[in-house]
Amino acid sequence: MFIKSVVPQFVKNSRGRRTIEINLKTYEGTFKCSAPSGKSTGKSEVMCWSSKGIDYSMKILNAFCKKLLGRNFIIKKVDDLNALNDLIRKFEARFGKFGGNGWYILEGAFLKAAAADCGKELWKFINDDVNHGLKPKMPMPVGNCIGGGLHSKKIKGKRPDFQEFLLIGKEKKFGRAVTKNIRAYEYAHTLLKGKERSWIIKRNDEGAWRTSLNNEDVLEIMKRVSKRYGLRFGMDVATSSFYKKGHYEYKNKELIRDKVDQIDYIGKLVRKFGLFYIEDPMAEDDFGGFKSLFNNVKKNRKKSLIVGDDLTTTNLERVQRAVRGKSINSLIIKPNQIGSILEVKQVVEYCKKNKIVMVFSHRSGETMDNILADYCVGFGGQFIKAGIHGKERLVKLKRVMDIEKSLS
Ligand code: PGA
Ligand code: ZN
């Protein structure tokens, strides 16, 4: 793979904020990769850009990219990225860190080019390497239907405390599951309009409906919606945003819960509403709290997923701690949380060995890049969390649908 040119440029993400895209030219074509950014980030995530800011990341990325001109890389499998990564590490040691997103866009563009060089789609390039070419099983979509927490502005001073109320497909075909999620999302809008004035209901950062309702009222709506369309549902509690000084500070309704109350409360919600998916229900360092909640939930709902996101941050050590301690049976994989896709690969291998369910996830500030879909299918994720509404979300769902079609 001969490098004709590599140029980083600023582009805007779905929040209208600046992010960086790499444009890599080889004899096979031009390959682009741009990076998403989170808002409710975990403490253990790597910095997304340099600690000196995105402008500094751009400056050093520019200098690094110039050094790549005219080089030849042989990348026949994912681990061959090590040649690039060694160069990045050496460069970072002298000039400072690019940030996780710098790694994400360089590796992403290189992988796309490497796949083309081998005459393969990216998902297949990864699948041939990681899953020995076995026909992949399509993931199911996890879509954000109604939002609260950090991702949603308040309405009349109120919003649900939980960040995301999620619809989860249960179909043989990915495409059919996406259609159902979209219909159910529209039905949720209708139900919300019945509860508050229609002009008030707008979409949040991720395209989910905003509301002033509290968690339980939203869960009632989610239950009706899911029943009508034969879906499963759940939530991203995202406790990091309201866990303060050892307590969970609820605002809607105003209430302080300690750890035991929190386990009890979430356990009750799981039973009452039949929740299938519960992400970050406890504080991000509370491995023990996750374990207690997992035990509580397992008694009644064996198949429900207790999902780590801020708890695990796609970091192998944290994942191992959570899995060995039986704190979770599922986790979020966000490649830019950890930086390198080679570390993601190690997490994937560990999850497979330990039968941990993997949910490949977008970030709340997204771009038009659809690489997440190829990563999810290629690495064998059981779910893809990529929203329901908005062009930056749909482009990823559409990519999975295209892969599905190409396989049938
Ligand atoms: P983020 O949040 O992308 O804003 O970090 C999404 C999530 O918590 O799942
Ligand atoms: Zn989350």
Side-chain angles (χ1 to χ4, degrees), residues 188-240:
H189 188 208
T190 309
L191 295 182
L192 285 171
K193 281 193 289 190
K195 301 264 180 196
E196 21 195 359
R197 271 172 285 168
S198 57
W199 55 266
I200 266 177
I201 312 212
K202 303 223 168 72
R203 295 183 173 99
N204 74 2
D205 278 357
E206 271 190 29
W209 301 116
R210 283 165 47 200
T211 176
S212 65
L213 299 181
N214 66 27
N215 296 326
E216 279 147 80
D217 290 341
V218 173
L219 286 171
E220 288 291 352
I221 290 182
M222 293 296 290
K223 191 172 176 182
R224 275 183 70 186
V225 165
S226 305
K227 195 163 174 217
R228 179 156 171 164
Y229 289 95
L231 297 164
R232 300 172 283 193
F233 69 109
M235 60 210 186
D236 183 358
V237 184
T239 46
S240 307

Side-chain angles (χ1 to χ4, degrees), residues 19-158:
T19 180
I20 302 176
E21 177 180 79
I22 290 282
N23 284 268
L24 165 64
K25 274 198 187 126
T26 69
Y27 283 112
E28 298 301 324
T30 302
F31 305 92
K32 297 181 180 204
C33 187
S34 54
S37 306
K39 192 182 209 175
S40 56
T41 47
K43 275 193 303 198
S44 330
E45 288 190 31
V46 296
M47 297 266 299
C48 66
W49 299 114
S50 156
S51 54
K52 294 181 189 163
I54 191 170
D55 288 305
Y56 188 75
S57 287
M58 179 56 124
K59 190 173 152 192
I60 53 179
L61 271 168
N62 246 314
F64 178 73
C65 287
K66 288 201 180 103
K67 284 189 172 294
L68 298 178
L69 293 187
R71 279 182 183 260
N72 199 13
F73 287 85
I74 298 176
I75 304 179
K76 300 284 175 212
K77 55 184 191 314
V78 180
D79 283 343
D80 293 340
L81 277 176
N82 262 322
L84 170 72
N85 294 0
D86 286 343
L87 292 176
I88 300 180
R89 271 186 220 104
K90 277 188 199 135
F91 190 87
E92 282 192 333
R94 287 188 64 198
F95 300 102
K97 292 198 181 298
F98 297 152
N101 277 352
W103 285 73
Y104 181 92
I105 52 182
L106 281 167
E107 288 183 334
F110 267 68
L111 278 178
K112 287 180 188 182
D117 205 35
C118 297
K120 293 179 187 175
E121 302 266 320
L122 179 54
W123 71 265
K124 179 135 180 37
F125 178 85
I126 299 171
N127 183 63
D128 283 353
D129 177 13
V130 178
N131 296 319
H132 317 292
L134 289 175
K135 189 176 173 187
K137 196 166 176 290
M138 283 298 119
M140 278 292 113
V142 175
N144 194 354
C145 179
I146 301 176
L150 272 192
H151 288 175
S152 293
K153 285 196 196 116
K154 293 178 184 163
I155 295 180
K156 293 179 280 174
K158 287 185 183 164

